[in-house]
Amino acid sequence: MAVGNRHRNFLNTATTPSTTTSHLTSPPHLQALYEYAAAAGASFVPFVQPVAERAAAEVEYKYHPSVREAAAHALAGCYKALVVAARAGPPITGEHVGQLLGALMKPLATALNHEREAAAADAMLDVFHDVLRFERETPLGVLQPTTLNAIVGLVKKQLEEDGKRTSERRQAAADDDDDDEPDEDELEAEFNLLSTAGACVREILKIGGAQALPTLETQLMPHINGWMAELSDDAHRSLALVAYADLIELAGKENMKKVVPPVLNTALRLATVATADAR
């Protein structure tokens, strides 16, 4: 059984999409696995290894983003099932959860960094959000500094990609290129992705508090601060304001003099130019 594997290589990550059974490339099947794992919790543990192996391969399936999205959901269900079992106590422990996380980090992070479809990227980043949230709620010792730094790097990458998309759209608008206009579904998927990135920031602050602020200031906040620019849109501004509120709430009293004035100055500056919703 997977949970009896005491070695670092929890998954057989040599599995590739070309060697998996064809029915697992179907998004409905992968989504059903996620829903079953999420509902079954610890009872799903015997199936964690085979399902996670297949899903870890499908998360880089190149022919359709819906497969990659569903595979990420399935990985989230596997991780949740093992966490639930570890919370209940032996024979499942935090060591087993750590083994699964260690096995998932490389394929999932690689897929996320290469992903260009927002919905699939959102599903992948949400797995890491679950890792942060579960560790905060019930510390199992799986979130090492290197892992946390890796997650920060993944969030940063998504913020950088958003900046590129925004810059390209502004250039297209300046060139009156109507063909590059995104549709509503695309914009919604991108908003959801950035919301998940913001949720990761909040969890990092909840875990690290004031100690997390220097890393966030240098790695993530420069991008989030850009969302408050006068040329920005209300969706980005609203996400930036949520991030600022999290900083004020969670970054520690000793950092208030550093955090609050820039937020207030930005809010006051935009009060006369933002829309009613943003105000």
Side-chain angles (χ1 to χ4, degrees):
M1 187 170 68
V3 296
N5 184 352
R6 310 295 290 183
H7 301 289
R8 298 288 294 175
N9 187 19
F10 189 91
L11 302 183
N12 175 17
T13 51
T15 304
T16 63
S18 62
T19 60
T20 57
T21 53
S22 60
H23 72 276
L24 277 175
T25 62
S26 165
H29 284 95
L30 286 167
Q31 183 65 23
L33 284 172
Y34 163 71
E35 293 174 357
Y36 178 58
S43 300
F44 190 76
V45 166
F47 307 102
V48 164
Q49 183 175 8
V51 171
E53 283 181 357
R54 297 291 186 173
E58 302 294 356
V59 82
E60 294 191 79
Y61 185 79
K62 65 181 180 180
Y63 297 110
H64 205 285
S66 63
V67 173
R68 302 192 295 272
E69 180 183 354
H73 286 313
L75 289 176
C78 289
Y79 190 82
K80 177 181 179 180
L82 213 56
V83 168
V84 170
R87 286 173 174 173
I92 310 303
T93 67
E95 182 179 355
H96 297 111
V97 179
Q99 289 171 0
L100 177 59
L101 177 59
L104 296 182
M105 278 296 299
K106 184 176 180 179
L108 192 57
T110 299
L112 177 56
N113 282 332
H114 292 161
E115 185 58 61
R116 293 296 176 264
E117 295 293 332
D122 181 34
M124 295 174 193
L125 187 60
D126 199 40
V127 179
F128 294 108
H129 172 250
D130 282 346
V131 170
L132 294 168
R133 179 170 60 87
F134 290 146
E135 184 66 10
R136 173 182 58 80
E137 293 173 349
T138 308
L140 296 172
V142 303
L143 197 60
Q144 303 302 316
T146 53
T147 306
L148 185 59
N149 288 336
I151 294 175
V152 170
L154 292 169
V155 174
K156 180 181 179 181
K157 173 71 172 177
Q158 295 309 309
L159 300 188
E160 290 172 344
E161 290 300 317
D162 174 74
K164 292 177 184 177
R165 286 192 296 266
T166 300
S167 178
E168 290 169 357
R169 285 171 184 162
R170 286 175 182 167
Q171 184 60 50
D175 296 339
D176 294 326
D177 188 353
D178 294 334
D179 292 337
D180 288 338
E181 284 294 315
D183 60 28
E184 291 299 320
D185 289 341
E186 184 178 352
L187 290 174
E188 182 179 2
E190 291 173 5
F191 181 85
N192 291 339
L193 172 57
L194 293 181
S195 296
T196 301
C200 288
V201 172
R202 180 173 178 81
E203 290 299 332
I204 292 169
L205 280 166
K206 283 186 173 182
I207 291 170
Q211 294 180 343
L213 186 59
T215 298
L216 297 181
E217 280 185 318
T218 58
Q219 299 296 315
L220 304 183
M221 291 312 296
H223 300 282
I224 294 175
N225 291 337
W227 297 349
M228 294 298 286
E230 291 187 17
L231 292 177
S232 189
D233 54 75
D234 280 355
H236 282 84
R237 287 175 183 161
S238 65
L239 291 169
L241 289 169
V242 170
Y244 290 157
D246 290 339
L247 284 174
I248 293 171
E249 177 186 355
L250 301 168
K253 292 182 179 179
E254 64 269 36
N255 289 311
M256 285 303 94
K257 290 183 179 179
K258 181 190 298 185
V259 172
V260 173
V263 173
L264 291 180
N265 290 337
T266 301
L268 290 171
R269 176 174 56 83
L270 288 172
T272 57
V273 297
T275 64
D277 285 343
R279 291 199 298 274

